[in-house]
Amino acid sequence: MPLFDLPLEQLRNYTSGVTAPADLDAFWDRTISEARDYTLDAVFEAVDNYLTVIDTFDVTFAGFGGSLVKGWLHLPANRPADEPLPVVVQYVGYSGGRGLSNQDTKWAQAGYAHFIMDTRGQGYGGILGHTADPHPSAGDVAHAGLMTRGVGSREDYYYRRVYVDAFRAVEAAQAHPAVDASRVVVAGVSQGGGITVAVAGLAAGRLDGVIAALPDVPFLQDFPRSIDIAPRGPYPEIAAFLARHRDRYEPILAVLNYFDGVNLGRAATAPALFSAAQMDDICPPSTVFASFNAYGTKPATARPAGTGGVPAKDIEVYRFNNHEGGQEHQWNRQLQYLRKLLG
């Protein structure tokens, strides 16, 4: 895949034309408040993962609408009994789920608590999932896939449910006694990266303890440009839907505006390490830079009291990679980043 997007010098200065709805904060305040009306009821059940160095717990907690969401919590088996661990809350890529109990334990291998959230209605792709999406809008008219599920309304849009699940996943991770609730890192690749950006923004002023965000080649950023230029992956689901529903472009963009990481990430206060790949034709690099450049830039006068100023942020760029991004190289970069951050 050749370089098809903007050159790097333009990417570093690219800003999206997306503007936040006037009631964005009010919408999410209400959404989070409604979610918290349901008791979190996080349950951790020890399971045999066939590993000697990692302890694993099957997690269930109440997500959007009180429906049950699954997850894994992995802990180093040799952890000190009286020292809670920083936790990495991980969100997974599009079509994937939490996988098997021993499939991904890398953050626990590095000495952290590692919480993996299952993504509702997914797990039909490369990684197994166990959480249904029981919302009525799941049966509405939509393109095959998830990008247009419930897209006729901000109340019913699929990613409203996913973002609430992700927010409550942080609360669930914080509920375990082996976890240091004041040291939460959110992380993910692709869709997981987009959810990471959203949670970092939604946490500001609403949830204490999120101290860093690690979004890799994030999806769900700068929807208008992504829909226009991405030739592959989930964004074309929206374009295909609009090809049949020709009169719905503006109304659908108005809904997507509430879920665009460019808008949500502006409120973030946690330091962040992003990554982008210049040959990425699934999450084009300009859309990733749109998110990175907007991240944490909400004016102090528009922030809730006590949420701090503009966070430190950095981005790694992989010139010759497509959507796989930095992979093991980015993992090493993240290990170094967290070691420095957490001491």
Side-chain angles (χ1 to χ4, degrees):
M1 179 70 193
L3 298 176
F4 75 101
D5 206 342
L6 302 174
L8 185 57
E9 59 272 17
Q10 292 182 32
L11 289 173
R12 294 200 183 277
N13 296 303
Y14 173 73
T15 56
S16 171
V18 170
T19 56
D23 64 344
L24 180 70
D25 288 338
F27 171 74
W28 283 107
D29 283 342
R30 174 173 59 84
T31 295
I32 298 300
S33 177
E34 290 174 357
R36 283 173 163 165
D37 285 341
Y38 296 91
T39 303
L40 181 64
D41 197 22
V43 177
F44 302 87
E45 182 180 349
V47 297
D48 187 354
N49 61 16
Y50 313 111
L51 304 175
T52 59
V53 296
I54 303 293
D55 293 333
T56 296
F57 298 84
D58 186 359
V59 185
T60 305
F61 65 94
F64 182 90
S67 62
L68 297 183
V69 179
K70 300 294 290 183
W72 298 121
L73 176 65
H74 303 300
L75 299 171
N78 64 347
R79 63 192 180 277
D82 57 349
E83 295 181 22
L85 299 172
V87 62
V88 177
V89 178
Q90 178 183 335
Y91 309 110
V92 299
Y94 190 78
S95 84
R98 65 174 180 166
L100 302 180
S101 63
N102 56 12
Q103 193 162 356
D104 182 0
T105 63
K106 65 180 183 180
W107 286 110
Q109 293 175 52
Y112 303 103
H114 182 188
F115 189 105
I116 303 177
M117 185 190 84
D118 208 23
T119 310
R120 65 169 59 221
Q122 299 191 33
Y124 56 85
I127 304 175
L128 184 66
H130 302 93
T131 302
D133 180 20
H135 195 270
S137 70
D140 200 0
V141 175
H143 188 270
L146 299 161
M147 297 305 298
T148 60
R149 180 176 290 183
V151 76
S153 162
R154 66 181 186 175
E155 306 292 331
D156 292 337
Y157 188 46
Y158 171 74
Y159 279 100
R160 183 181 186 224
R161 305 191 286 282
V162 172
Y163 288 177
V164 166
D165 292 347
F167 185 96
R168 302 229 80 190
V170 172
E171 296 180 312
Q174 290 174 317
H176 194 278
V179 167
D180 183 345
S182 69
R183 294 190 293 172
V184 179
V185 177
V186 288
V189 180
S190 191
Q191 175 185 254
I195 297 170
T196 296
V197 172
V199 171
L202 292 173
R206 301 184 181 96
L207 179 62
D208 293 333
V210 177
I211 62 167
L214 306 176
D216 288 333
V217 291
F219 179 47
L220 306 167
Q221 316 297 306
D222 197 359
F223 275 109
R225 181 167 176 82
S226 297
I227 295 167
D228 280 352
I229 73 170
R232 193 167 66 97
Y235 287 123
E237 292 178 19
I238 303 174
F241 182 81
L242 292 171
R244 299 309 309 158
H245 300 272
R246 296 171 174 85
D247 59 342
R248 298 187 64 181
Y249 178 68
E250 294 298 337
I252 282 178
L253 280 188
V255 169
L256 294 175
N257 220 5
Y258 288 88
F259 306 93
D260 198 314
V262 172
N263 288 332
L264 294 173
R266 287 191 180 105
T269 58
L273 174 63
F274 280 67
S275 72
Q278 279 194 262
M279 293 185 176
D280 192 343
D281 60 349
I282 291 178
C283 295
S286 58
T287 69
V288 175
F289 271 91
S291 178
F292 173 75
N293 290 330
Y295 185 90
T297 60
K298 190 172 185 176
T301 54
R303 294 180 180 275
T307 55
V310 177
K313 58 185 178 181
D314 199 2
I315 187 167
E316 292 289 330
V317 180
Y318 297 94
R319 178 179 177 85
F320 297 104
N321 288 94
N322 202 305
H323 193 54
E324 74 280 0
Q327 295 180 309
E328 68 276 12
H329 298 276
Q330 185 65 8
W331 160 238
N332 279 331
R333 177 72 174 88
Q334 290 172 338
L335 287 172
Q336 296 165 24
Y337 181 84
L338 289 191
R339 181 176 294 180
K340 182 177 180 181
L341 179 73
L342 296 168

